Amino acid sequence: GAGVSQSPSNKVTEKGKDVELRCDPISGHTALYWYRQSLGQGLEFLIYFQGNSAPDKSGLPSDRFSAERTGGSVSTLTIQRTQQEDSAVYLCASSLVGGAKTGELFFGEGSRLTVL
Amino acid sequence: DQQVKQNSPSLSVQEGRISILNCDYTNSMFDYFLWYKKYPAEGPTFLISISSIKDKNEDGRFTVFLNKSAKHLSLHIVPSQPGDSAVYFCAASKTGTASKLTFGTGTRLQVML
């Protein structure tokens, strides 16, 4: 597809379960970002990939959160032992080069996670 | 600690009039500022940006103003159109952490016919 693709679009899970969220960036984009938006909050930075490496993972809220990127393309965000406070919309974005100064972060539609 | 603040959660404007969306920041290390627009069930899309070396940047109907001394920026939309109805997010980044944007909580703009 032409844009950033995320799956699933909606995920309802029980507290304590693990979840995986997938992001397929725009072809050729070397930089990939994960953000999340909790209810009533702004977008919160989680992690940034340049190629397959993550030079900035400072936003991951706990060690239950991890992410990887393979082949310089698809990324997976994994949340282990989910908690209710993990409920949020998880947004993935990609850009041609790393660095927000390009301004052009292309976002996907997000994955809405609800932890019961 | 909210470093980028959008104190107005919502704004209503008549079609054809000016919309002014405001954003304040607390971190003096921010040197690049952006506005994103978000429609329901879609991801945010980049709208306009400004570097701290400038105080104004214009792109068609959209103009962003930066007042560094007040740590304040604003987005002006003239004339406002119904299709501008969306949530607008202000974002900021710091030199050296250009990969990370700090977002405000957003302002929902409704342009009425």
Side-chain angles (χ1 to χ4, degrees):
Chain A
V4 176
S5 177
Q6 291 187 245
S7 61
S9 54
N10 273 289
K11 176 72 176 178
V12 180
T13 191
E14 293 179 348
K15 177 182 171 181
K17 301 278 191 182
D18 297 352
V19 297
E20 282 190 355
L21 307 176
R22 176 189 166 106
C23 173
D24 209 333
I26 293 172
S27 178
H29 280 193
T30 60
L32 185 147
Y33 315 77
W34 282 99
Y35 284 80
R36 75 174 177 181
Q37 185 179 17
S38 304
L39 193 62
Q41 302 297 312
L43 281 73
E44 174 190 5
F45 169 82
L46 297 177
I47 188 169
Y48 156 62
F49 286 93
Q50 181 60 46
N52 291 335
S53 63
D56 190 346
K57 52 178 85 171
S58 61
L60 294 178
S62 76
D63 58 9
R64 295 187 295 105
F65 287 73
S66 62
E68 65 174 11
R69 189 179 184 195
T70 55
S73 182
V74 172
S75 176
T76 302
L77 176 69
T78 301
I79 309 172
Q80 294 179 309
R81 304 180 304 281
T82 52
Q83 303 294 311
Q84 289 181 332
E85 62 262 29
D86 300 334
S87 297
V89 177
Y90 289 81
L91 289 155
C92 175
S94 69
S95 65
L96 268 174
V97 295
K101 289 194 174 183
T102 65
E104 287 284 6
L105 296 193
F106 294 84
F107 282 87
E109 295 180 358
S111 293
R112 180 178 296 277
L113 174 65
T114 303
V115 181
L116 300 177
Chain B
D1 175 31
Q2 195 73 27
Q3 297 187 59
V4 177
K5 301 176 185 178
Q6 293 177 258
N7 292 318
S8 298
S10 63
L11 175 68
S12 291
V13 171
Q14 287 292 129
E15 181 182 12
R17 306 294 280 261
I18 184 171
S19 295
I20 300 176
L21 295 96
N22 293 304
C23 178
D24 297 294
Y25 61 95
T26 57
N27 193 327
S28 58
M29 296 298 290
F30 288 140
D31 63 354
Y32 192 70
F33 304 89
L34 309 93
W35 286 92
Y36 278 78
K37 179 170 75 173
K38 185 182 183 303
Y39 293 117
E42 294 184 10
T45 54
F46 170 73
L47 192 56
I48 193 169
S49 62
I50 188 167
S51 166
S52 61
I53 63 173
K54 295 185 174 182
D55 55 18
K56 176 182 174 181
N57 188 26
E58 191 172 350
D59 183 2
R61 297 186 297 112
F62 302 90
T63 303
V64 56
F65 295 92
L66 176 62
N67 182 334
K68 284 185 302 235
S69 61
K71 294 192 179 69
H72 177 83
L73 64 156
S74 61
L75 175 67
H76 292 209
I77 307 173
V78 184
S80 301
Q81 299 174 353
D84 297 330
S85 297
V87 177
Y88 290 78
F89 290 97
C90 171
S93 70
K94 294 183 273 186
T95 300
T97 59
S99 61
K100 182 192 304 182
L101 293 180
T102 301
F103 282 84
T105 52
T107 296
R108 182 179 302 277
L109 172 66
Q110 184 176 8
V111 180
M112 299 173 293
L113 297 170

